[in-house]
Every structure is written in structure tokens, then in C-alpha cells.
Amino acid sequence: MVESNELIFEVSQPGRVGSSLPVSDVDKVDIHEKFPEHLIRDTPAELPEVSELQLVRHYTALSNKNHGIDNGFYPLGSCTMKYNPKINEDVARFEGFSRIHPYQPGETVQGALQLLYELQEELAEITGMDAVTLQPSAGAQGEWTGLMMVRAYHEQKGETRTKVLVPDSAHGTNPATATVAGYKAVTIPSNKDGLVDLEELKKHVDSDTAALMLTNPNTLGLFEKEIVEIANVVHEAGGLLYYDGANANAILGKTTPGKMGFDIVHLNLHKTFTTPHGGGGPGAGPVGVKEKLIPYLPIPRIEKANGTYVLNSNYPLSIGRVKGYYGNFGILVRAYTYIRTMGPDGLRQVSESAVLHANYLRKKLEPYFEAPYSQICKHEFVLSGSRQKKLGVRTLDMAKRLLDFGYHPPTIYFPLNVEECMMIEPTETESKETMDAFADVMAQISKEVEENPDMVLSAPHTTVIGRLDEVQAARQPVLRYKKEESAEKELVKA
Ligand SMILES: *Cc1c(COP(=O)(O)O)cnc(C)c1O
């Protein structure tokens, strides 16, 4: 008998095929005439030989082993994993949206262009910006698009600025983007309350500062109360303010980056606006800007003229196109559907519930874990596993133990300024029962750390694969099927 959670990878049988193609009615060509010799194989590729049904079962079994928001709680801080309403999927599959081509003449896809135009308008209102581009296909690409506009803006004024300031609690993409965009990323330390240290900021802001990149509420889930003052300091030196709005759950309908003094914003539609994410995409990272940056927006821009929607590339100062076609259209349809089904009141309720849930769960967990910042939080909060570390169990071990209970662990070891960090975001879509059950399991794990640490140190116990050698997996990934000794088999053995 095979254990039910064991995956059998090697089911290949010589000669078995999973396809039945019709007899070819085109003439055979001599492959040696068409291709250079060094590209031609001597022997056929060693692919698994399986029937179609075996193939389907293999991938279905794999997908069932996957954890996703549709089969369990996923409290991943800073990466908002919330429910994706299924109506979004229905609408994205409408023929008028799914069976069109980006090279069709504009007059034949007016509905699609109208949707893009209206989504731009809605996102501008939600963020308090004057115009929006939908092109960038991820948050990180939105950041890069934003900084390219910052550069264009300063160059147009005859200025060359070299520094981008980033708080130490920032998401890793922020300093990475600043570097890729050709700036020097300068870290601003947080103060003891987990907020931007205004005095430190003042020391670093000068005529060389291109921008400050900030998330508010920040990745500790805390609202930067001095944001207006922070904005003034940067603006007075001629710098711009960039808002990382990947997770905007806490501010929807309550305030806007525009009101806080920001000049540029990106949103992750694949976090805040419910389109699915994980596994590398596809995503969408629209960018909104204030009036003074409109000339630099990517082209083509979607505009409305005399009741028709048109694509306009006539912007000589534009930074150009940042993505093929007009963005990840299917994702944009899902976000549009979400915004229209929620309406302004629904979106406001999102932020109220997201904040309430985070504080409820924070309070339930505080008896068991160190809380470095125990003031009221916004949509997420951080705890530290420092108490458990003293007993020889690390946050990573507790994260692995959570898998045994069917939960995806929270974000761990980020932000970097908190020791043994756990960053938890329950989101507005979870029920009280789910949060209570999660809190009970976390309490149980903290008890195990004291009474039976081996149970936690050797977790997970119920998954197909136990602890991976993550360093080796990253350095020597095995990405190719090899007959007999498939990579996965080796991992199972290990
Ligand atoms: C997820 C995230 C990003 C990056 O978004 P991607 O779409 O993964 O590129 C940037 N900033 C914050 C705060 C995030 O949570």
C-alpha cells in the first residue's frame, strides 16, 4: 500500500503515448537540410511516456498538494493574500474581453478600451492622483516605472540627482528598484516606535535626493503620523515622494497617498484588488502620478475624445512603453470588476475590516509572542519569536510547524529590523472562526516550544516533503525531468 500523501513520480512505460494526432498530410522534410548539424539530436529526448489520463492525474495531484487561498488561511504579511471573488473570473472570461487581440483597430474594441479608461479614472480617485498608467505588470515594475519618471522629471529641469532614500523597514523591491534605476539607495533608520526617524531623514535629504520611497502604513503595519512633515522635508529639497501602495487595504476610502503629499503611487492589483497572485504572476502594478509628472507617463495612453476611446502616443517627454501591448488585460478586468462590485462604501468597509481583523488577531497572539510594537496597527502587524529563540526554537521552525495544521505561515524574517520576525496579515476576508482557530494553533505551538520542542524542530510532519535544503535548492535547482532519478524522487528520499 502506498501512503495517501506520497506522490509517485515515475509512471513512465516505454511506448505509451498521451496524444493521438491525425496522419500527417504534408511532405516529410529532411531535417539535415533545414537545421545545422549541432542542433540535431542523435537520440530522442527522454521524456516520460504516459497516457493523457495519467498526465492529467499527475498535475491534478500536484495542484492538490498546493496551498492556496481557496483551500486555506494564508496570513502572509506585506503580500495581501485575500479572497478573489469568482465573479471576477466570470467577467474576465466574457468573449468580448477574452477573445480580442491587442492589435485590433481601436474602433473594434471600444468596450475593452472603455474598461481600461474607467479603471484608470477609478484608481486615480482611490489614490488621489491625477493620472494613471495600467502598463506595469508587477509592483516592482511599477516602482521602476515611477523612478524612471522621477529621473525624466529632474532631467527636464536640468538636474541630475543620484540618491533615493528608503526606510530600513521597506520592502526589498524598493532598494532593488532604486539600484536598477541607476540611483544609490540610502537607508533611513526607523525610530523606536517603528516609524521614519524624522531627524535622521533631515540629515540625509539634500539637493542630490531624487526621491523618498515610502509605504504608509509601513511594513510594520504602523501609520507614519508625521507623513505631512516628511513630505515637506523632501519637497523643500526638490525631491519627490514615491508611495509603495502594494497593499492598500488599510487606506481604501479612508485617505489617499495624494492627500499625504505623495507624487507617485503604484498599486498591486494582484494584492489589494483581488486578482489572484502567487507563483510569479501574472500581475498588474498600475502607477498613478500628480499633474507635474503626467508628461512622462508611459505611452500609449488611453484617452477619451468625442465619446470614443483612443490610444495616444503623442507625448514626446514620455519615458516610452514599459510593457508589451497595454498591460495584463485579464488582470485589469478582474480588478475593475472588483471595484465596481464593491463600490466606494464596500471599499471603505474593506479597510475597516482589514484593520479590525489585524488588531483582533494581534491581541489574541500577544500573550504568546513578543510584540515589539504593541500600539494599534493597520492591516498587518509584526511579532517576534525572540522568546522562543531563547528556548532553542526559531521562527522558521514554528513556520514549518504551522504547515502541519494546514496553514500557510505568515511572512517571516521580514521586515529586517525586527529580530525573528513574524509578519501577519489576516485580511478583511477571513472569518472570526478562522482567526480564532489560527490563534489557538499558534498558542499550541508556543506551548510545544516549552514542553516538546522536538515536535517543532522536526516539523513539518504531514507534508509530502519535509525540510528542504533551501540553500541547495536555490544554488543547484533541478528543473528538468530526468528518467529514473527524477529530481523530486531524490528530494522525497532526502
Ligand atoms: C509585493 C510587494 C511589492 C512588489 O510587488 P511585486 O508585484 O511582487 O513586484 C512591493 N512592495 C510591497 C510593500 C509589497 O508587498
Side-chain angles (χ1 to χ4, degrees), residues 55 81 89 99 154 187 193 196 237 260-261 369 451 471 480:
L55 185 74
M81 284 283 188
E89 303 303 311
R99 299 187 67 95
H154 285 131
T187 308
D193 297 325
V196 169
M260 297 178 211
F369 302 92
E451 295 171 2
V471 176
R480 221 173 55 175

Side-chain angles (χ1 to χ4, degrees), residues 78-79 138-140 143 171 173-174 215 244 246-247 266 268 270-271:
S78 184
C79 276
E143 292 171 26
H171 192 269
T173 49
N174 294 182
T215 305
D244 179 339
N247 312 282
H266 87 260
N268 279 24
H270 49 290
K271 289 179 183 169

Side-chain angles (χ1 to χ4, degrees), residues 77-78 169 193-195 215-224 247 250 354-355 358-359 362 373 375-382 414-415 418 423-425:
S78 184
S169 61
D193 297 325
L195 303 173
T215 305
N216 194 22
N218 67 21
T219 58
L220 301 165
L222 304 175
F223 194 83
E224 299 282 355
N247 312 282
V355 171
N359 281 289
R362 180 175 65 82
Y373 308 103
Q375 62 262 53
I376 291 200
C377 65
K378 295 295 174 213
H379 61 298
E380 64 192 5
F381 59 98
V382 297
F414 172 75
V418 174
M423 186 190 201
I424 302 174
E425 178 178 0

Side-chain angles (χ1 to χ4, degrees), residues 27-303:
D27 293 336
K28 235 181 164 163
V29 294
D30 182 0
I31 189 172
H32 295 277
E33 274 177 20
K34 297 275 176 195
F35 293 100
E37 278 310 310
H38 72 276
L39 292 179
I40 301 174
R41 291 178 179 282
D42 308 325
T43 49
E46 290 204 323
L47 299 174
E49 296 174 86
V50 293
S51 72
E52 182 177 331
L53 178 57
Q54 283 178 309
L55 185 74
V56 169
R57 284 190 181 149
H58 174 76
Y59 283 111
T60 305
L62 279 183
S63 72
N64 286 341
K65 300 280 175 209
N66 246 338
H67 187 87
I69 196 71
D70 284 356
N71 59 348
F73 188 43
Y74 209 136
L76 202 64
S78 184
C79 276
T80 308
M81 284 283 188
K82 67 190 196 185
Y83 177 61
N84 312 129
K86 298 308 166 225
I87 189 177
N88 297 356
E89 303 303 311
D90 286 353
V91 176
R93 282 168 182 73
F94 284 179
E95 282 209 352
F97 292 143
S98 63
R99 299 187 67 95
I100 53 177
H101 193 280
Y103 280 163
Q104 264 175 256
E107 64 271 19
T108 68
V109 287
Q110 282 293 299
L113 292 179
Q114 179 179 354
L115 179 141
L116 297 175
Y117 180 83
E118 288 180 8
L119 181 59
Q120 286 179 170
E121 300 276 288
E122 286 157 5
L123 296 178
E125 184 181 338
I126 287 169
T127 55
M129 293 288 131
D130 296 316
V132 166
T133 173
L134 302 173
Q135 274 188 34
S137 57
Q141 199 191 7
E143 292 171 26
W144 180 81
T145 303
L147 289 193
M148 294 315 276
M149 287 191 270
V150 169
R151 178 183 294 286
Y153 169 82
H154 285 131
E155 276 176 2
Q156 181 65 19
K157 298 170 80 171
E159 295 175 0
T160 319
R161 294 178 174 238
T162 60
K163 286 195 304 192
V164 167
L165 311 182
V166 188
D168 58 2
S169 61
H171 192 269
T173 49
N174 294 182
T177 300
T179 309
V180 171
Y183 290 105
K184 185 167 179 294
V186 177
T187 308
I188 307 295
S190 303
N191 62 23
K192 63 173 184 357
D193 297 325
L195 303 173
V196 169
D197 190 322
L198 199 55
E199 291 315 309
E200 282 293 327
L201 179 72
K202 284 180 185 160
K203 277 190 220 155
H204 286 93
V205 172
D206 55 25
S207 60
D208 212 15
T209 303
L212 168 70
M213 298 180 88
L214 204 63
T215 305
N216 194 22
N218 67 21
T219 58
L220 301 165
L222 304 175
F223 194 83
E224 299 282 355
K225 283 175 284 195
E226 295 182 302
I227 185 59
V228 174
E229 179 73 22
I230 292 171
N232 285 342
V233 168
V234 176
H235 281 150
E236 272 162 23
L240 296 176
L241 269 96
Y242 184 95
Y243 185 90
D244 179 339
N247 312 282
N249 297 37
I251 62 157
L252 294 178
K254 290 286 172 188
T255 183
T256 69
K259 276 189 197 148
M260 297 178 211
F262 286 88
D263 306 291
I264 312 173
V265 183
H266 87 260
L267 295 167
N268 279 24
L269 301 189
H270 49 290
K271 289 179 183 169
T272 309
F273 295 93
T274 73
T275 66
H277 82 291
V287 174
V289 294
K290 285 276 177 71
E291 180 109 45
K292 57 180 180 253
L293 290 155
I294 291 182
Y296 312 104
L297 280 169
I299 46 170
R301 293 184 47 203
I302 298 149
E303 292 171 353

